[in-house]
Amino acid sequence: MKREWDLLHTPGPTPIPPSVDRAMSQPIIGHRGQKCKDLLKELTPRLKPVFGSLENVQLLTGSGTSALEAAVVNTTAPGDKVIVVVAGAFGDRFAKLCQTYECNVHRIDVEWGKAVEVKEVEETLREHSDTKAVFVTHCETSTGVMHPVEDVAKSVHRLSQALVIVDGVSSIGGAEINMERSGIDLLVSGSQKAMMLPPGLAFAAIGERAWKVIEENDRPRFYLDLRTYDKKLTDGQTPFTPALSLMFGLEEVLNLIEEEGLEQVFERHQVMKQMTREACRALHLPLFVADEDASCTVTSIKPETFDPEKLRKIASEEFGLMLAGGQQHLKGQIFRIGHMGYTRPANVLQYISILEIVLKRLGHEFEAGAGTAAAQEAYLSVARELV
Ligand SMILES: *Cc1c(COP(=O)(O)O)cnc(C)c1O
C-alpha cells in the first residue's frame, strides 16, 4: 500500500517540497540544446554559496557515493599515502574506496558516536608526512556526529601539502561549511539528504589546489573524470546525459534556499537539533552523541529500556513515522531521526509528540507531554523571533 501520509524522518532520503516535485514534472528537454545550457549555467554559480566554494560545483549523475568515488579516483594514484578518519559507516566507505583504488590507507579509527580530535589527525600526519590526502566525513550519518572538518582542514594545511577531502552528503544544505574560509580542497555531496531532492544527483566542489592535483593525475578514469566535467561546463554542458528532471528540481531547491536565506536555513537546522535533543532528555531517551559532537541534521538515540527496532515498527505502523535504525554493529542498538532539508520546527513538534505515544506503548517511563514541552521551550529560547 502506498501511504502518501508517511512522515519520512530517515536521515536520507528525505521529503521533497511540493514545489520541487512540480518543478521536476516539467517536460524533458534535450541535453545538448540551449535550454539545458541556460539551466546549467544558471545552477552552477548558485550552488557555490551552499558549499562556501569559490569554484564551480560540478554536477554528476549518480548517488552520493559516485561523488565519493570521483574524489578518490581523481586525486589519488595507486600507492599514494592517504589518511581516512573512520568513525562510522561512511568514514569506513571512504576508507574502502581508497583501498579499492590501491591507496596506502592509514585509518584513524574513532569510537563510533564520537568526533575526531584535531590533534589525532595532526599526530597521524606527523608520522606520515608524505600523506597525499586526508579524507574526512562532515556529518557521519550512521552515528549523528559532526566532525570538526574546518579545523581539521586548517591543521592539515599548516602541517603538510596534503589535500583535505570532505564527504558532505548529509550536511550540505543543512549545516554551515565554508571551503574558502577553511581551505577544504574538495567537498562532495548528494541530492537526497539536506538538498531536498530525490536520489540521483551528486555534487563535487573542487578548490584550486585540488584541481592542480587532478590535472596532473594520470590514473585512468572515464565516467567520473572530473576534468571532462569541468571542460564541458565551460560550454554549459555535462559530458553525459544529466539527470534533467533533478536539475529542474534543483533550480527550485535553490529558489527555496535563497528565499529563506542560507543563514536562516542553517539556523533552522540548529533549532531543530536543539528541540530534538532537549525533548529526548526530557523523555529520558539517552542521546548517543555528546552535545559538542552532535550533528544538526540527524540525532541518534540509544535506548536502554526497550528495543529500538520495536519503537521503529510501532512508529511506522501506527503513524507512518519512518525512522532509521543503526548500521553495522549499532544495528538494534540505536535509532536515528533525520531532521534536515524539507523539515521544519513544526515537524519536530509532530514527531516528538508521536514518539511520546510510541514510548507509552513500550512502557517507557516519563511524564506525559514532557518531550513536547521541552521541544517548545527549546524553540522559544533558541529560535529567532519570526515576524
Ligand atoms: C547518504 C550518505 C552517502 C552516500 O550514500 P548514497 O547511498 O551513495 O547516496 C555518503 N556519505 C554520507 C555521509 C551519507 O550520509
PDB file of all heavy atoms in Angstrom, residues 1 27 68 115 122 143 152 154 157 203 224 228 264 276 283 287 297 347 368:
ATOM      1  N   MET A   1       0.842  -1.207   0.000  1.00  0.00           N
ATOM      2  CA  MET A   1       0.000   0.000   0.000  1.00  0.00           C
ATOM      3  C   MET A   1       0.874   1.253   0.000  1.00  0.00           C
ATOM      4  O   MET A   1       1.789   1.385   0.805  1.00  0.00           O
ATOM      5  CB  MET A   1      -0.887   0.000   1.249  1.00  0.00           C
ATOM      6  CG  MET A   1      -1.840   1.174   1.308  1.00  0.00           C
ATOM      7  SD  MET A   1      -2.928   1.180   2.764  1.00  0.00           S
ATOM      8  CE  MET A   1      -1.777   1.423   4.113  1.00  0.00           C
ATOM      9  N   PRO A  27       8.242  19.094 -18.697  1.00  0.00           N
ATOM     10  CA  PRO A  27       8.612  18.257 -19.855  1.00  0.00           C
ATOM     11  C   PRO A  27      10.128  18.192 -20.013  1.00  0.00           C
ATOM     12  O   PRO A  27      10.821  19.170 -19.766  1.00  0.00           O
ATOM     13  CB  PRO A  27       7.981  18.985 -21.052  1.00  0.00           C
ATOM     14  CG  PRO A  27       7.006  19.938 -20.487  1.00  0.00           C
ATOM     15  CD  PRO A  27       7.399  20.239 -19.076  1.00  0.00           C
ATOM     16  N   LEU A  68      31.874  10.449  -3.946  1.00  0.00           N
ATOM     17  CA  LEU A  68      32.977   9.970  -3.099  1.00  0.00           C
ATOM     18  C   LEU A  68      34.022   9.272  -3.968  1.00  0.00           C
ATOM     19  O   LEU A  68      35.233   9.492  -3.833  1.00  0.00           O
ATOM     20  CB  LEU A  68      32.450   8.979  -2.043  1.00  0.00           C
ATOM     21  CG  LEU A  68      32.055   9.520  -0.660  1.00  0.00           C
ATOM     22  CD1 LEU A  68      30.939  10.523  -0.742  1.00  0.00           C
ATOM     23  CD2 LEU A  68      31.656   8.379   0.267  1.00  0.00           C
ATOM     24  N   ALA A 115      33.388  12.429  17.826  1.00  0.00           N
ATOM     25  CA  ALA A 115      34.022  13.153  16.722  1.00  0.00           C
ATOM     26  C   ALA A 115      35.529  12.992  16.824  1.00  0.00           C
ATOM     27  O   ALA A 115      36.068  12.769  17.912  1.00  0.00           O
ATOM     28  CB  ALA A 115      33.639  14.627  16.783  1.00  0.00           C
ATOM     29  N   GLU A 122      46.582  15.531  13.508  1.00  0.00           N
ATOM     30  CA  GLU A 122      47.919  16.136  13.493  1.00  0.00           C
ATOM     31  C   GLU A 122      49.000  15.100  13.795  1.00  0.00           C
ATOM     32  O   GLU A 122      50.024  15.046  13.122  1.00  0.00           O
ATOM     33  CB  GLU A 122      47.998  17.281  14.515  1.00  0.00           C
ATOM     34  CG  GLU A 122      47.158  18.477  14.093  1.00  0.00           C
ATOM     35  CD  GLU A 122      47.138  19.593  15.131  1.00  0.00           C
ATOM     36  OE1 GLU A 122      47.539  19.352  16.291  1.00  0.00           O
ATOM     37  OE2 GLU A 122      46.709  20.700  14.761  1.00  0.00           O
ATOM     38  N   THR A 143      26.036   7.713  12.862  1.00  0.00           N
ATOM     39  CA  THR A 143      26.052   7.922  14.317  1.00  0.00           C
ATOM     40  C   THR A 143      25.437   9.254  14.734  1.00  0.00           C
ATOM     41  O   THR A 143      25.051   9.429  15.883  1.00  0.00           O
ATOM     42  CB  THR A 143      27.500   7.905  14.858  1.00  0.00           C
ATOM     43  OG1 THR A 143      28.230   8.961  14.234  1.00  0.00           O
ATOM     44  CG2 THR A 143      28.181   6.579  14.588  1.00  0.00           C
ATOM     45  N   VAL A 152      40.047  20.638  11.079  1.00  0.00           N
ATOM     46  CA  VAL A 152      40.939  19.602  10.532  1.00  0.00           C
ATOM     47  C   VAL A 152      41.647  20.157   9.296  1.00  0.00           C
ATOM     48  O   VAL A 152      42.866  20.044   9.146  1.00  0.00           O
ATOM     49  CB  VAL A 152      40.148  18.318  10.177  1.00  0.00           C
ATOM     50  CG1 VAL A 152      40.990  17.361   9.336  1.00  0.00           C
ATOM     51  CG2 VAL A 152      39.663  17.608  11.447  1.00  0.00           C
ATOM     52  N   LYS A 154      42.290  23.253   8.389  1.00  0.00           N
ATOM     53  CA  LYS A 154      43.284  24.295   8.709  1.00  0.00           C
ATOM     54  C   LYS A 154      44.564  23.657   9.234  1.00  0.00           C
ATOM     55  O   LYS A 154      45.672  24.042   8.854  1.00  0.00           O
ATOM     56  CB  LYS A 154      42.712  25.273   9.738  1.00  0.00           C
ATOM     57  CG  LYS A 154      41.675  26.209   9.134  1.00  0.00           C
ATOM     58  CD  LYS A 154      41.124  27.149  10.197  1.00  0.00           C
ATOM     59  CE  LYS A 154      39.775  27.693   9.768  1.00  0.00           C
ATOM     60  NZ  LYS A 154      38.966  28.147  10.896  1.00  0.00           N
ATOM     61  N   HIS A 157      46.614  21.790   6.538  1.00  0.00           N
ATOM     62  CA  HIS A 157      47.347  22.709   5.651  1.00  0.00           C
ATOM     63  C   HIS A 157      48.517  23.380   6.350  1.00  0.00           C
ATOM     64  O   HIS A 157      49.508  23.725   5.723  1.00  0.00           O
ATOM     65  CB  HIS A 157      46.391  23.736   5.056  1.00  0.00           C
ATOM     66  CG  HIS A 157      45.423  23.116   4.092  1.00  0.00           C
ATOM     67  ND1 HIS A 157      45.803  22.167   3.174  1.00  0.00           N
ATOM     68  CD2 HIS A 157      44.092  23.286   3.916  1.00  0.00           C
ATOM     69  CE1 HIS A 157      44.742  21.788   2.466  1.00  0.00           C
ATOM     70  NE2 HIS A 157      43.690  22.449   2.911  1.00  0.00           N
ATOM     71  N   PHE A 203      27.276  16.019  -6.185  1.00  0.00           N
ATOM     72  CA  PHE A 203      27.940  17.309  -6.367  1.00  0.00           C
ATOM     73  C   PHE A 203      29.410  17.202  -5.973  1.00  0.00           C
ATOM     74  O   PHE A 203      29.742  16.503  -5.016  1.00  0.00           O
ATOM     75  CB  PHE A 203      27.305  18.370  -5.464  1.00  0.00           C
ATOM     76  CG  PHE A 203      25.807  18.462  -5.573  1.00  0.00           C
ATOM     77  CD1 PHE A 203      24.985  17.761  -4.690  1.00  0.00           C
ATOM     78  CD2 PHE A 203      25.215  19.260  -6.549  1.00  0.00           C
ATOM     79  CE1 PHE A 203      23.596  17.848  -4.780  1.00  0.00           C
ATOM     80  CE2 PHE A 203      23.837  19.349  -6.650  1.00  0.00           C
ATOM     81  CZ  PHE A 203      23.020  18.642  -5.764  1.00  0.00           C
ATOM     82  N   LEU A 224      33.798   9.168 -14.271  1.00  0.00           N
ATOM     83  CA  LEU A 224      33.967  10.077 -13.142  1.00  0.00           C
ATOM     84  C   LEU A 224      35.176  11.003 -13.292  1.00  0.00           C
ATOM     85  O   LEU A 224      35.643  11.567 -12.317  1.00  0.00           O
ATOM     86  CB  LEU A 224      34.082   9.267 -11.842  1.00  0.00           C
ATOM     87  CG  LEU A 224      32.829   8.471 -11.453  1.00  0.00           C
ATOM     88  CD1 LEU A 224      33.096   7.621 -10.225  1.00  0.00           C
ATOM     89  CD2 LEU A 224      31.643   9.390 -11.200  1.00  0.00           C
ATOM     90  N   THR A 228      36.780  16.201 -17.437  1.00  0.00           N
ATOM     91  CA  THR A 228      35.843  16.321 -18.565  1.00  0.00           C
ATOM     92  C   THR A 228      34.570  17.086 -18.147  1.00  0.00           C
ATOM     93  O   THR A 228      33.992  17.803 -18.957  1.00  0.00           O
ATOM     94  CB  THR A 228      35.443  14.937 -19.130  1.00  0.00           C
ATOM     95  OG1 THR A 228      34.837  14.176 -18.092  1.00  0.00           O
ATOM     96  CG2 THR A 228      36.643  14.179 -19.649  1.00  0.00           C
ATOM     97  N   GLN A 264      19.560  31.530   7.463  1.00  0.00           N
ATOM     98  CA  GLN A 264      18.337  31.093   8.145  1.00  0.00           C
ATOM     99  C   GLN A 264      18.145  29.590   8.004  1.00  0.00           C
ATOM    100  O   GLN A 264      17.651  28.937   8.921  1.00  0.00           O
ATOM    101  CB  GLN A 264      17.110  31.832   7.585  1.00  0.00           C
ATOM    102  CG  GLN A 264      16.963  33.278   8.039  1.00  0.00           C
ATOM    103  CD  GLN A 264      17.997  34.216   7.425  1.00  0.00           C
ATOM    104  OE1 GLN A 264      18.536  33.964   6.348  1.00  0.00           O
ATOM    105  NE2 GLN A 264      18.287  35.306   8.122  1.00  0.00           N
ATOM    106  N   THR A 276      15.049  18.682  19.286  1.00  0.00           N
ATOM    107  CA  THR A 276      15.057  17.216  19.338  1.00  0.00           C
ATOM    108  C   THR A 276      15.838  16.729  20.556  1.00  0.00           C
ATOM    109  O   THR A 276      15.395  15.834  21.288  1.00  0.00           O
ATOM    110  CB  THR A 276      15.667  16.650  18.039  1.00  0.00           C
ATOM    111  OG1 THR A 276      14.924  17.156  16.931  1.00  0.00           O
ATOM    112  CG2 THR A 276      15.636  15.137  18.013  1.00  0.00           C
ATOM    113  N   LEU A 283      12.474  13.116  27.870  1.00  0.00           N
ATOM    114  CA  LEU A 283      11.808  11.807  27.773  1.00  0.00           C
ATOM    115  C   LEU A 283      12.686  10.667  28.282  1.00  0.00           C
ATOM    116  O   LEU A 283      12.344   9.492  28.120  1.00  0.00           O
ATOM    117  CB  LEU A 283      11.418  11.532  26.303  1.00  0.00           C
ATOM    118  CG  LEU A 283      10.371  12.474  25.705  1.00  0.00           C
ATOM    119  CD1 LEU A 283      10.217  12.242  24.214  1.00  0.00           C
ATOM    120  CD2 LEU A 283       9.028  12.300  26.415  1.00  0.00           C
ATOM    121  N   LEU A 287      20.882  10.164  24.635  1.00  0.00           N
ATOM    122  CA  LEU A 287      21.456  10.633  23.376  1.00  0.00           C
ATOM    123  C   LEU A 287      22.768   9.900  23.140  1.00  0.00           C
ATOM    124  O   LEU A 287      23.578   9.746  24.052  1.00  0.00           O
ATOM    125  CB  LEU A 287      21.681  12.148  23.447  1.00  0.00           C
ATOM    126  CG  LEU A 287      20.392  12.973  23.524  1.00  0.00           C
ATOM    127  CD1 LEU A 287      20.657  14.365  24.079  1.00  0.00           C
ATOM    128  CD2 LEU A 287      19.737  13.040  22.149  1.00  0.00           C
ATOM    129  N   THR A 297      21.717  17.686  11.618  1.00  0.00           N
ATOM    130  CA  THR A 297      20.840  17.084  10.602  1.00  0.00           C
ATOM    131  C   THR A 297      20.288  15.713  11.006  1.00  0.00           C
ATOM    132  O   THR A 297      19.316  15.246  10.430  1.00  0.00           O
ATOM    133  CB  THR A 297      21.585  16.932   9.256  1.00  0.00           C
ATOM    134  OG1 THR A 297      22.786  16.182   9.465  1.00  0.00           O
ATOM    135  CG2 THR A 297      21.932  18.277   8.650  1.00  0.00           C
ATOM    136  N   ASN A 347       7.536  20.125  12.207  1.00  0.00           N
ATOM    137  CA  ASN A 347       7.652  18.674  12.049  1.00  0.00           C
ATOM    138  C   ASN A 347       8.291  18.040  13.280  1.00  0.00           C
ATOM    139  O   ASN A 347       7.971  16.907  13.642  1.00  0.00           O
ATOM    140  CB  ASN A 347       8.486  18.327  10.813  1.00  0.00           C
ATOM    141  CG  ASN A 347       7.940  18.968   9.556  1.00  0.00           C
ATOM    142  OD1 ASN A 347       8.526  19.903   9.025  1.00  0.00           O
ATOM    143  ND2 ASN A 347       6.791  18.506   9.110  1.00  0.00           N
ATOM    144  N   ALA A 368       4.061  12.386  30.852  1.00  0.00           N
ATOM    145  CA  ALA A 368       3.378  12.638  29.578  1.00  0.00           C
ATOM    146  C   ALA A 368       3.471  14.120  29.208  1.00  0.00           C
ATOM    147  O   ALA A 368       3.266  14.997  30.045  1.00  0.00           O
ATOM    148  CB  ALA A 368       1.916  12.220  29.679  1.00  0.00           C
TER     149      ALA A 368
END
